[in-house]
């Protein structure tokens, strides 16, 4: 377990996640297939060539899901009760096959539950494309998790 207990999160702290991932055509295809999303903009090169993007886009839900996965080791691995919400999701720039992303999480809020045995932590997650010089923001969202408190972790 590498995650943090509720007490270990600090509001305004930014966590730079070390892991990065280059997104492949296969990643995009498998995710789209598993979720039954057959949007041709993700899967059909000829169709996508005639769009403003000029090529297939990586499924935005895959980008978001991958970002959550990248954050887990430094945030909630083994210390989470549940994810409560994902809010304010935006995809300001496209992601294409071969793009590499990095992720950072900023703790924006935390509060104890009414019984005082757990805590609710909200993080603003930002995803950047690192294979471009200006590292554009490609996805951002707020993730709220119900976290264990260290003293109640064994219960």
């Amino acid at each position: 377990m590498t995650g943090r207990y509720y007490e270990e999160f600090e509001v305004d702290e930014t966590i730079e996640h070390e892991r990065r991932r280059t997104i492949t055509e296969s990643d995009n295809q498998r995710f789209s297939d598993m979720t039954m999303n057959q949007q041709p903009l993700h899967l059909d090169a000829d169709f996508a060539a005639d769009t403003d993007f000029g090529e297939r886009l990586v499924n935005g839900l895959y980008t978001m899901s991958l970002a959550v996965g990248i954050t887990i080791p430094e945030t909630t691995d083994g210390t989470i009760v549940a994810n409560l919400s994902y809010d304010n999701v935006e995809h300001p720039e496209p992601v294409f096959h071969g793009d590499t992303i990095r992720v950072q999480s900023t703790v924006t809020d935390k509060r104890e539950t009414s019984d005082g045995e757990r805590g609710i932590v909200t993080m603003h997650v930002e995803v950047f494309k690192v294979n471009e010089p200006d590292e554009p923001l490609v996805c951002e969202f707020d993730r709220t998790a119900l976290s264990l408190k260290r003293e109640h972790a064994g219960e």
Side-chain angles (χ1 to χ4, degrees), residues 123-134:
M123 295 165 270
H124 183 70
V125 179
E126 296 174 296
V127 185
F128 301 92
K129 193 175 356 180
V130 300
N131 52 297
E132 290 188 13
D134 58 345

Side-chain angles (χ1 to χ4, degrees), residues 76 79-84 113 118-121 144-148:
T76 59
T79 58
I80 192 173
V81 177
N83 279 309
L84 301 177
T113 56
R118 298 176 181 144
I120 297 171
V121 179
T144 302
L146 181 59
S147 295
L148 294 171

Side-chain angles (χ1 to χ4, degrees), residues 34-53:
M34 285 189 301
T35 58
M36 298 176 68
N37 181 341
Q38 298 303 304
Q39 168 58 253
L41 188 56
H42 302 311
L43 304 173
D44 184 330
D46 289 333
F47 175 89
D50 290 333
T51 69
D52 290 344
F53 300 106

